[in-house]
Amino acid sequence: MKKITISLTVNGEPRQVLAEPREQLVDLLRRELMLTGTHVGCEHGVCGACTVEIDGAPARSCISHAGSCDGASVRTIEGFGEDAVMADLREAFSHEHALQCGYCTPGMLVVARDVVLRLPEADEARVREEMAGNLCRCTGYRGIVRAVLRVLAARRLHA
Amino acid sequence: MKPASFSYVRPNSWPEALKLVAAGARPGAGTQSLGPLLNLRLAQPDTIADLRHLPDYAGVAVEGGVVRIGAGTTHAAIEDGAVPGRVGEIMAGVARGIAYRPVRNRGTIGGSLAHADPAADWVAVLPALGGAAVALGPRGERRIASAGFVKGIFETELAADELLRAVEVPVLPAEARWGHWKFCRKVGEFSKATACFLALPGKAPRAVLAALDWPPLVIEDASMLAKDPVAEAARIVTAFPELGAWRRALAETALRRAVERAGGA
Ligand SMILES: Cc1cc2nc3c(=O)[nH]c(=O)nc-3n(C[C@H](O)[C@H](O)[C@H](O)COP(=O)(O)OP(=O)(O)OC[C@H]3O[C@@H](n4cnc5c(N)ncnc54)[C@H](O)[C@@H]3O)c2cc1C
Ligand code: FES
Ligand code: FES
């Protein structure tokens, strides 16, 4: 199959990639751009490991077609180095033992950041609901939920 | 797994999209259902026509008591209040229960309805709200009542050369009473049984029973269900004789809870 050119912004930098039309965004990120921080679990939208930001909103990169991201702006876990909310979340995840093997963590963090910014009043039940689309085989979720609540509480205090 | 090879086209106008579809291209919307089908190779289209960049694909307009919702409007937009008024409030609550936010950010109301998964949320809810699906074909637009749009499992009234252009729902009065119950064991899962109940002032209430591996059952006059939910729910469920005891219990309970949530009779 003839390759197609996909132009997109990845982590703030304009990129042009030659890809197979059948590729999903995650293939383009991991294979063509070597951004392997985005993980692949189920490849059908269920586990959340591949979650990245597309045009500012979290999305599954395993079922977001690469071709349809031509012109889009994508942010992967590697692109959050300077982000203040993500810095707080990283610290909280570490403090609350919210990760073990780390496989789910990039997706967890992208979703957690969206929860913190979109739902500043979220309580534990809401955090659990919002994080339900991200599976973790290691931690049992308690640490993850606590970490998100910790960041939410700190932000409310300083609001 | 990775998808089998296909070619990718991005039509810039509706006539162009219709031509591609007439020539056999598979429309792609949010790809939140199509993506898994491609990855599992359950779908192996030659060509995908990406609808996401069509003009006026997403968006909401209100005119003459009808809310027209572009097929490309995402579940997340509806969750965040894109549809105004009482009907918007109802739809926002439904949208929040579909899958997970990252899926809702891309998945569209039109894609969901066209996909016609019997367990899907809009497939159950739109017939309860009333209104129509707007199909666009070579001869222009036509309206198909939402109550009869899904006619089988993954089967709709859309012709092979048509696209779903929009979904229409009626503007509802503030007093509209709504009850909805979706049974799933985990947040964001597809439903095992869904019931909806809508009561408008001065009209017979309408109910829908769905997600039973069958197209939704629309009960145009659900007055009896409101009066005697236990007996009537048991009677309604006999329309699905092939259900096992567990599923039948879920269906009956969903109906009763939908009525309860709407504030009873
Ligand atoms: C993990 C996960 C959980 C989910 N849970 C739920 C759930 O609980 N409830 C629920 O309702 N849904 C659920 N979904 C499905 C989700 O709602 C999808 O968004 C929706 O079913 C399809 O919408 P889409 O825009 O992604 O369509 P696509 O996947 O792009 O398309 C779906 C089908 O419709 C066709 N199509 C799309 N648009 C049109 C059009 N305008 N005209 C004609 N044909 C068209 C396509 O060719 C394809 O066959 C879930 C999905 C995932 C990945
Ligand atoms: S790999 Fe994308 S959701 Fe599991
Ligand atoms: S830390 Fe191992 S899967 Fe979550």
Side-chain angles (χ1 to χ4, degrees):
Chain A
M1 194 59 71
K2 197 170 152 277
K3 292 203 170 185
I4 53 172
T5 308
I6 298 168
S7 305
L8 70 178
T9 306
V10 181
N11 299 333
E13 281 178 39
R15 307 292 295 253
Q16 215 177 53
V17 188
L18 211 56
E20 278 188 66
R22 66 174 179 145
E23 276 180 57
Q24 302 285 6
L25 177 62
V26 73
D27 304 319
L28 182 145
L29 294 171
R30 288 179 57 89
R31 256 214 308 267
E32 319 288 342
L33 300 175
M34 297 301 288
L35 291 167
T36 53
T38 301
H39 293 166
V40 200
C42 65
E43 286 188 282
H44 60 276
V46 175
C47 76
C50 67
T51 309
V52 300
E53 241 185 49
I54 306 178
D55 294 327
R60 304 294 207 224
S61 60
C62 70
I63 52 173
S64 296
H65 182 247
S68 82
C69 292
D70 186 89
S73 178
V74 175
R75 201 171 183 192
T76 68
I77 194 65
E78 291 91 341
F80 288 98
E82 307 294 311
D83 184 82
V85 178
M86 206 57 113
D88 291 346
L89 280 166
R90 278 197 302 269
E91 203 179 301
F93 265 56
S94 164
H95 190 89
E96 299 287 357
H97 300 285
L99 67 151
Q100 234 179 75
C101 78
Y103 202 83
C104 67
T105 313
M108 285 286 179
L109 285 170
V110 170
V111 171
R113 181 174 173 279
D114 179 58
V115 172
V116 167
L117 292 173
R118 187 167 52 86
L119 303 165
E121 300 303 325
D123 59 6
E124 174 169 351
R126 188 69 195 263
V127 168
R128 283 190 176 272
E129 178 188 332
E130 295 291 327
M131 302 297 294
N134 289 66
L135 303 184
C136 176
R137 299 284 81 163
C138 300
T139 65
Y141 303 102
R142 288 190 61 175
I144 295 169
V145 172
R146 281 192 193 136
V148 180
L149 287 170
R150 171 184 279 263
V151 173
L152 279 166
R155 288 174 65 85
R156 282 198 287 262
L157 205 63
H158 298 122
Chain B
M1 253 166 77
K2 304 295 178 192
S5 283
F6 57 79
S7 61
Y8 170 80
V9 235
R10 188 186 276 199
N12 290 312
S13 73
W14 287 93
E16 197 189 327
L18 284 173
K19 257 190 222 141
L20 286 164
V21 169
R26 183 81 177 257
T31 68
Q32 299 303 289
S33 293
L34 187 56
L37 292 177
L38 291 170
N39 288 357
L40 296 165
R41 300 201 177 189
L42 292 170
Q44 301 195 8
D46 292 325
T47 306
I48 287 189
D50 184 357
L51 308 180
R52 294 183 75 247
H53 306 270
L54 288 172
D56 214 15
Y57 177 45
V60 176
V62 187
E63 210 190 304
V66 173
V67 189
R68 182 177 160 119
I69 305 163
T73 307
T74 62
H75 311 318
I78 295 170
E79 177 184 14
D80 293 347
V83 180
R86 176 70 181 123
V87 72
E89 199 175 87
I90 291 170
M91 291 180 78
V94 171
R96 179 171 153 188
I98 300 176
Y100 317 105
R101 183 76 182 186
V103 172
R104 298 199 287 274
N105 278 331
R106 293 188 82 76
T108 64
I109 190 168
S112 180
L113 195 60
H115 188 54
D117 185 325
D121 290 283
W122 295 127
V123 168
V125 167
L126 291 171
L129 296 176
V134 183
L136 178 68
R139 288 159 305 279
E141 283 188 358
R142 68 180 179 113
R143 280 168 178 70
I144 305 155
S146 290
F149 181 75
V150 171
K151 61 174 192 184
I153 300 173
F154 302 110
E155 208 188 332
T156 71
E157 288 289 345
L158 276 186
D161 60 355
E162 284 180 322
L163 285 167
L164 187 58
R165 182 66 183 81
V167 167
E168 289 180 347
V169 293
V171 170
L172 295 180
E175 314 81 67
R177 288 187 295 116
W178 168 254
H180 172 239
W181 189 270
K182 172 185 180 183
F183 264 116
C184 43
R185 286 187 286 187
K186 175 184 175 289
V187 171
E189 256 188 358
F190 277 101
S191 175
K192 301 284 178 292
T194 298
C196 311
F197 183 88
L198 177 70
L200 300 176
K203 281 193 188 161
R206 193 188 297 125
V208 168
L209 179 60
L212 298 172
D213 311 325
W214 206 249
L217 175 73
V218 182
I219 302 140
E220 286 295 348
D221 182 348
S223 314
M224 277 307 291
L225 183 64
K227 280 203 196 85
D228 187 358
V230 175
E232 185 61 4
R235 193 197 64 78
I236 291 169
V237 168
T238 59
F240 300 88
E242 65 290 343
L243 291 182
W246 172 67
R247 214 60 190 290
R248 197 164 55 236
L250 291 186
E252 282 181 35
T253 310
L255 277 168
R256 289 202 304 266
R257 290 192 184 164
V259 176
E260 245 168 60
R261 284 202 156 179

